[in-house]
Amino acid sequence: MKIVDAKVVVTSPGRNFVTLKLTTDEGLTGLGDATLNGRELSVVSYLQDHVAPLLIGLDPHRVEDTWQSLYRGAYWRRGPVTMAAIAAVDTALWDIKAKAAGLPLYQLLGGASRDRVATYGHASGRDIPELLDSVRARLAAGYPAIRIQSGIPGLKAVYGVTSTRDDGSSVLHQQARPLVEDWDTDAYLRHTPTVFEAVRAEFGPELPLLHDAHHRLTPIQAARLGKDLEPYRPFWLEDCTPAENQEALRLVRQGTSVPLAIGEVFNTVYDYQTLISEQLIDYVRSAVTHFGGVTPLRKLFDFAAQYQIKSAIHGPEDISPVGMAAAVHLDLAVHNFGIQEYSGHTPLTEQVFRHAYTFTDGHLHPGEAPGIGVDLDEDLAAAHPYKAAYLPVNRLQDGTVHDW
Ligand SMILES: [Mg+2]
């Protein structure tokens, strides 16, 4: 079998998605998600101009060899653009291999290790009463665990508290210029324990509650927050410090026993070496889409398993249904699965990407369709072309740029 076509499809059914479609001489096709939120067209160029010509004529069964040749052969290693492009190729090759075998991908990864995949959903509010309503809505939708984010008194626009359109798409991610959010770390550190106190008082001690600090704290600030949240038993504190400095987590770990999750912006296992080998974290958060595909993410999970660290794949709306499908196959197969973030997609997105995975009672299952189980409607995709979009930026009260 040989690859005869490599096509990149860009579509915006509510937000931008980039998809690689590989076609073989036997008529089998494979899909891979290459969406890099806010920098989408850079990956389109990487794939179209530099990778697609290398794929024509290759045997699609050679997944590992193709991954290694794209990673090592470029000379310029790592980085989000490179790794999103390689991820799309890797996922599309696994899709073809599983279709050729007539099996859903999870069977090629060792088969199911569980019956279904537990998820967490996002609840948010501009104030605590609005957040409590949002938690109620997520519970009604069946989510077994919930991430809580709240507005902060005195701040106008805060991460995780977004305006949402009627179709479910986020206003934040479709700005022609970056939206400017504002930030005050002291106000955040004072307010967040009161948010947890209110949610626990309303919903009791058993509901798993997660919280995302979104890379904004110093190690000592993160340790302080962790200590203050300990009485409320969070499921985890996510991305408490900026991702670049792995050693920072040593200081956080010394100060709090709150479980720590990190890694949604990581590209390779090298971003995790200290974190995993020193057991500084409890969950690895990388997505198939941004970590180079199914092949390296499986290896990461196996590395993490040696240290009792669990998987928790990144799953916001900008992971397309193609990337989400690949994630759910991995979730079902790996032994050290922890939890899957799941936000769902707009109804129009679900028409562009018809998928076999299902979401029932807060749990996902990849389905039994051969491959990853996603079909791309290229005509509908073409009817919703790319729109320029940026993620927000974040500024302190005096105008200084801060981590978003
Ligand atoms: Mg996050």
Side-chain angles (χ1 to χ4, degrees):
M1 188 157 53
K2 283 184 167 43
I3 297 169
V4 294
D5 188 49
K7 181 179 182 183
V8 181
V9 176
V10 186
T11 183
S12 189
R15 66 177 314 118
N16 293 317
F17 295 111
V18 178
T19 309
L20 175 68
K21 180 182 179 182
L22 300 181
T23 304
T24 72
D25 57 352
E26 296 182 12
L28 286 179
T29 59
L31 298 177
D33 180 21
T35 307
L36 185 62
N37 197 357
R39 295 292 186 271
E40 293 89 353
L41 299 184
S42 57
V43 191
V44 174
S45 168
Y46 195 107
L47 283 168
Q48 282 180 340
D49 298 331
H50 305 291
V51 173
L54 305 177
L55 299 177
I56 306 305
L58 290 187
D59 176 359
H61 280 305
R62 298 186 64 168
V63 182
E64 178 73 25
D65 183 68
T66 302
W67 193 95
Q68 297 293 346
S69 70
L70 291 175
Y71 181 77
R72 296 171 194 278
Y75 186 64
W76 311 107
R77 299 185 185 189
R78 308 166 68 185
V81 176
T82 295
M83 300 313 288
I86 295 176
V89 175
D90 184 79
T91 306
L93 293 181
W94 276 110
D95 193 16
I96 291 170
K97 184 185 278 291
K99 284 178 180 171
L103 292 169
L105 174 61
Y106 76 82
Q107 294 289 12
L108 272 59
L109 301 174
S113 287
R114 57 196 50 78
D115 300 327
R116 58 185 189 159
V117 170
T119 69
Y120 71 90
H122 295 181
S124 67
R126 282 166 294 186
D127 54 25
I128 289 174
E130 197 174 277
L131 170 62
L132 297 180
D133 286 342
S134 180
V135 173
R136 265 180 223 108
R138 294 298 167 274
L139 288 173
Y143 281 103
I146 298 176
R147 191 190 81 164
I148 53 173
Q149 308 291 138
S150 169
I152 298 166
L155 299 186
K156 295 186 292 294
V158 175
Y159 166 78
V161 185
T162 62
S163 301
T164 304
R165 296 191 186 90
D166 290 343
D167 66 358
S169 64
S170 168
V171 173
L172 272 187
H173 301 280
Q174 292 290 319
Q175 305 287 331
R177 300 282 300 172
L179 184 82
V180 180
E181 294 185 349
D182 56 345
W183 188 248
D184 178 335
T185 300
D186 287 337
Y188 166 78
L189 292 175
R190 282 194 304 272
H191 185 61
T192 303
T194 71
V195 173
F196 269 79
E197 183 181 25
V199 174
R200 279 284 175 237
E202 183 73 12
F203 298 100
E206 292 175 2
L207 177 63
L209 297 176
L210 300 78
H211 179 70
D212 192 346
H214 228 247
H215 324 275
R216 291 163 186 213
L217 307 178
T218 67
I220 293 306
Q221 289 168 341
R224 172 82 263 160
L225 178 63
K227 227 177 180 55
D228 289 348
L229 295 183
E230 279 172 18
Y232 310 108
R233 298 287 182 118
F235 184 94
W236 78 35
L237 175 60
E238 177 178 339
D239 287 334
C240 58
T241 56
E244 293 91 337
N245 184 8
Q246 297 185 48
E247 288 76 10
L249 274 292
R250 289 182 188 139
L251 292 168
V252 182
R253 201 62 145 175
Q254 285 164 18
T256 178
S257 63
V258 163
L260 301 174
I262 205 163
E264 67 185 47
V265 300
F266 292 179
N267 313 129
T268 70
V269 69
Y270 302 106
D271 299 316
Y272 282 108
Q273 270 184 317
T274 302
L275 296 175
I276 291 176
S277 61
E278 295 188 16
Q279 294 184 273
L280 302 179
I281 54 172
D282 301 279
Y283 296 90
V284 292
R285 297 269 302 122
S286 293
V288 173
T289 310
H290 304 125
F291 201 74
V294 172
T295 298
L297 198 54
R298 175 60 195 260
K299 293 176 185 178
L300 174 73
F301 291 160
D302 288 346
F303 175 34
Q306 310 312 309
Y307 299 88
Q308 295 176 287
I309 296 168
K310 292 185 173 181
S311 75
I313 296 179
H314 192 214
E317 318 93 88
D318 54 282
I319 302 294
S320 86
V322 175
M324 182 55 63
V328 181
H329 283 277
L330 267 168
D331 291 333
L332 198 72
V334 297
H335 178 256
N336 57 327
F337 167 75
I339 199 164
Q340 171 68 52
E341 184 181 28
Y342 182 66
S343 303
H345 293 97
T346 65
L348 184 58
T349 302
E350 304 260 328
Q351 290 172 38
V352 172
F353 300 92
R354 291 185 306 278
H355 55 78
Y357 68 80
T358 53
F359 179 69
T360 310
D361 297 330
H363 292 74
L364 289 157
H365 191 282
E368 301 300 334
I372 62 170
V374 182
D375 288 313
L376 173 63
D377 184 332
E378 293 186 51
D379 292 334
L380 192 55
H384 299 278
Y386 169 81
K387 292 180 189 163
Y390 291 90
L391 286 166
V393 296
N394 196 26
R395 289 186 184 273
L396 304 179
Q397 302 298 290
D398 68 356
T400 306
V401 170
H402 194 62
D403 299 285
W404 185 76

